[in-house]
Amino acid sequence: MSRIIIRNAQVFDATGAPPYPADVLVEGNRIRAVATDRGALDATGAEVIDAAGMTLMPGMVEGHSHPTFTGVSQPSELGEIPPEEHLILAIKNTRLMLDHGFTSLFEAASAKLRLGVVIRNAINAGDFIGPRMRAASPEITVTAGLGDERRVHMYRESFALIADGPDEVRKAARLCMREGVDNLKINVSGDDFVTNARAAITPMSRAEINTAAEVAKDFGRMLVAHSRSAESVKRCVEAGVDCIYHCDQADEEALDMLERHKDRHYVGPAFGLLYNLIYEPEKSGVPLDFIEQRGFRKAFDVSCETYHQMRKRGIRVVIGGDYGFAFTPQGQNARDIHHFVRFFGYSPIEALQCATAVGADLMQMRGELGLVKEGYLADLLLVRGDVTNDVTLLQDKDNLAMVMTDGRLWKDPRRQIVREALPLAAE
């Protein structure tokens, strides 16, 4: 069994406490000791990493992950990628996420059925090193809902399965269960990026949502939802949806419902998409007149106010910004932590907890993951500097001196090499 001692670190353990000096022992894939009495750990037979000047923290969890989204501008482009090439591109994205310190991915939707499942299975089998994954289904939507890219004169695929009425939703959901997904995704509201149904519209009926919830519960899987409109949030709470994304138009009634059931639900703003459109329009490639016509500036302000309220009400919020489109490149994901501080009123420590401890709970790994604590799985980062003072340090992968997943060094500070340079088979 491998033994690694990380000495002289400032430990951010993600419990909410400020960082403190300690040495940490990792044996195999577990944290065996966190010693505040420095030098007390027996280093016999252990590799030693000197972490002076660095923060040791849990690996981050991407709570709205789309590793199968490959930088496309339009949803229909995802349907045009052949599955073989798509798989390779998605594997590269999972490894890119490790480079940036994300040791767990909660997949919010897969662009094709089984892409996420196959990658998850390969990682779990040890075929290559990658983040922990909960694999998702494609986004189940209804005719004219988000993800329906068809036209009367032309059939087009996107990232969605089209299902109308409870019977079709049940069949689509069961198909996803059969193929091994962990997370079932439904698109309850529309979105301002599409013309069929804008964000304030709620195309998916209560009966359809409840059917998806019933199937997910019967199979012991999680149900997640794209949900922008206030009405869609309410329907999701009523149905017991586990993780409700966006929620930006949630009114007082919807917020009250979420607060009453805050131990049952997680929410995720997917705010990176709005931030990039408003603050970096020249990089997004989205025309300025489109941004104005679709009301994205107002949506930005509304989201900020909504998540200020979420924080005050103690609702569990995870990071994840809908990264994977041309205007939200994979690898920017840690920006969300600073967004929480800058726009939602979180303290740096609270925002870091959303990216670690809260994310681990979403992964259904409470008591196993998300803290630097004896007995926990060794998914760990060493960050140059004090990340609790400056969360933007996490935005630059060069500030990550060490990335450890399941006790294995993906990035070793003593060698300054990244494992992604190796062929897959070599691992």
Side-chain angles (χ1 to χ4, degrees), residues 25-255:
L25 170 64
V26 174
E27 289 186 344
N29 68 341
R30 297 274 174 179
I31 299 169
R32 290 304 175 196
V34 179
T36 54
D37 182 8
R38 289 186 171 184
L41 295 175
D42 180 9
T44 303
E47 300 180 67
V48 177
I49 293 173
D50 185 2
M54 292 185 266
T55 304
L56 181 70
M57 62 174 284
M60 292 184 287
V61 181
E62 226 291 2
H64 187 130
S65 180
H66 289 301
T68 63
F69 285 22
T70 57
V72 299
S73 298
Q74 300 294 330
S76 59
E77 293 175 35
L78 287 170
E80 296 170 2
I81 305 172
E84 298 85 358
E85 283 85 349
H86 209 152
L87 178 63
I88 292 171
L89 293 171
I91 289 172
K92 287 182 177 179
N93 280 339
T94 64
R95 295 155 76 83
L96 177 67
M97 295 302 291
L98 266 187
D99 289 348
H100 288 268
F102 287 88
T103 55
S104 294
L105 307 181
F106 185 94
E107 196 177 24
S110 180
K112 293 181 174 69
L113 183 58
R114 296 195 73 248
L115 276 184
V117 169
V118 169
I119 295 170
R120 176 204 66 197
N121 291 348
I123 292 171
N124 289 347
D127 295 333
F128 65 92
I129 294 178
R132 300 177 192 278
M133 276 187 65
R134 284 187 62 93
S137 70
E139 305 183 24
I140 297 178
T141 194
V142 296
T143 297
L146 173 63
D148 180 10
E149 295 293 317
R150 303 169 300 173
R151 299 292 180 267
V152 171
H153 67 288
M154 181 188 304
Y155 183 86
R156 295 191 298 190
E157 294 280 358
S158 65
F159 47 65
L161 300 175
I162 317 297
D164 292 305
D167 288 343
E168 288 189 12
V169 169
R170 182 177 291 107
K171 184 174 182 178
R174 286 174 174 170
L175 171 64
C176 295
M177 298 300 107
R178 186 190 73 191
E179 297 305 316
V181 305
D182 300 304
N183 308 327
L184 184 68
K185 175 71 174 287
I186 56 176
N187 287 348
V188 179
S189 80
D191 197 283
D192 286 328
F193 280 96
V194 297
T195 55
N196 303 329
R198 298 289 293 274
I201 296 174
T202 308
M204 187 169 279
S205 71
R206 281 184 170 84
E208 290 164 331
I209 300 165
N210 290 338
T211 298
E214 178 185 341
V215 174
K217 182 178 179 181
D218 287 346
F219 281 83
R221 314 295 168 81
M222 295 183 74
L223 181 63
V224 304
H226 171 96
S227 180
R228 290 193 181 276
S229 68
E231 177 61 26
S232 68
V233 175
K234 295 168 194 176
R235 293 182 189 182
C236 286
V237 175
E238 290 168 356
V241 173
D242 296 292
C243 187
I244 309 172
Y245 290 123
H246 305 294
C247 302
D248 39 320
Q249 297 183 12
D251 58 17
E252 197 74 14
E253 182 184 6
L255 289 169

Side-chain angles (χ1 to χ4, degrees), residues 254-263 312-315:
L255 289 169
D256 287 344
M257 292 172 68
L258 282 168
E259 185 177 7
R260 281 197 301 272
H261 302 286
K262 61 186 177 184
D263 292 333
K312 291 176 182 177
R313 292 167 179 259
I315 296 166

